Amino acid sequence: MEILTSIINDNHHIDLEKNFIRELKDEDFKNYVLSLGIDEEKLCKYTSLLKDCVEMRKKCKNCSSIYECKQDVKGYLLTPEENGKRIIFCDIACPKMVEHLSKSNVSYYDEPERLKEASFKTLYKDDKNRLPIIKYFKEFTEGYLKGEKMKGIYLTGSFGAGKTYLIASLFNELAKKNVESVIVY
């Protein structure tokens, strides 16, 4: 009986390999599989799921926003992850969904729309008086995300100095890490 089971398993494995090799003729499939950096021997067991991953990514090629998503599970892509000797497939948020979710983590009340685009990259850094606060914001973000107790932030300055924009940049950076905030005027 063991010999029969061994023969069946060997034939099944050969069929899996043949199917995988046949799919490698598709350039999109081949490029995707190569980009994963996972051993082909493991991957050949999951050819049909890998094909699904490739097809999902094809749907995303011309996607302009999360609202036009053509996936069955809007904003998510089936993605393989190596887990020991196996590969597991999880739905991972696409870049458009990540952007959408991070923007929804900050609520603005009676504030200009431009604050939604504020980030550490867009801060005006030519004024040397701003540099210490920008540095502290980066330290605050790192510490807060690690769960450290951080001192609060109190900004003062004349009207139009950019205090709200500075805070919006901090909140938007935290929102990318799934931290919710509220800005109220």
Side-chain angles (χ1 to χ4, degrees):
M1 188 66 171
E2 286 181 32
I3 295 172
L4 183 60
T5 303
S6 176
I7 292 171
I8 291 171
N9 285 339
D10 287 345
N11 286 337
H12 180 67
H13 186 71
I14 291 169
D15 289 342
L16 290 174
E17 285 179 356
K18 284 181 181 178
N19 191 25
F20 184 75
I21 291 169
R22 184 174 44 250
E23 290 303 325
L24 284 174
K25 292 176 184 170
D26 176 5
E27 277 301 307
D28 290 328
F29 183 85
K30 180 180 176 182
N31 290 334
Y32 181 70
V33 166
L34 289 174
S35 74
L36 297 174
I38 300 174
D39 182 44
E40 284 186 16
E41 191 173 325
K42 280 185 190 177
L43 290 174
C44 74
K45 299 174 187 171
Y46 303 95
T47 303
S48 62
L49 284 169
L50 291 167
K51 282 175 53 177
D52 291 344
C53 292
V54 171
E55 291 306 312
M56 291 178 86
R57 279 152 181 79
K58 285 180 182 178
K59 289 181 185 178
C60 289
K61 281 192 177 177
N62 296 319
C63 181
S64 61
S65 78
I66 192 67
Y67 303 107
E68 297 175 11
C69 182
K70 295 177 177 131
Q71 304 299 344
D72 294 333
V73 180
K74 302 283 184 217
Y76 290 87
L77 294 168
L78 190 62
T79 305
E81 293 178 8
E82 200 167 11
N83 186 359
K85 293 181 180 181
R86 299 178 6 177
I87 296 175
I88 57 172
F89 288 79
C90 304
D91 286 320
I92 305 292
C94 73
K96 299 265 192 290
M97 178 58 92
V98 170
E99 181 182 337
H100 173 74
L101 291 173
S102 70
K103 286 184 178 181
S104 65
N105 280 337
V106 181
S107 300
Y108 297 89
Y109 295 96
D110 292 332
E111 292 294 342
E113 283 292 312
R114 69 183 177 84
L115 293 180
K116 293 179 181 179
E117 305 304 321
S119 70
F120 289 163
K121 290 178 184 173
T122 62
L123 287 174
Y124 178 71
K125 297 175 186 92
D126 290 347
D127 182 352
K128 292 181 183 179
N129 293 326
R130 286 177 167 232
L131 297 181
I133 190 67
I134 294 169
K135 182 181 176 193
Y136 181 72
F137 277 6
K138 290 181 179 182
E139 291 170 7
F140 181 90
T141 302
E142 291 170 12
Y144 184 85
L145 294 173
K146 291 178 186 173
E148 298 174 7
K149 295 217 180 229
M150 304 297 295
K151 287 186 175 184
I153 299 170
Y154 182 80
L155 294 178
T156 62
S158 60
F159 180 79
K163 301 177 294 293
T164 305
Y165 195 84
L166 281 166
I167 291 296
S169 70
L170 172 63
F171 284 1
N172 290 337
E173 292 296 327
L174 288 170
K176 292 176 186 174
K177 307 294 185 193
N178 212 23
V179 176
E180 294 183 11
S181 307
V182 177
I183 296 179
V184 181
Y185 178 73

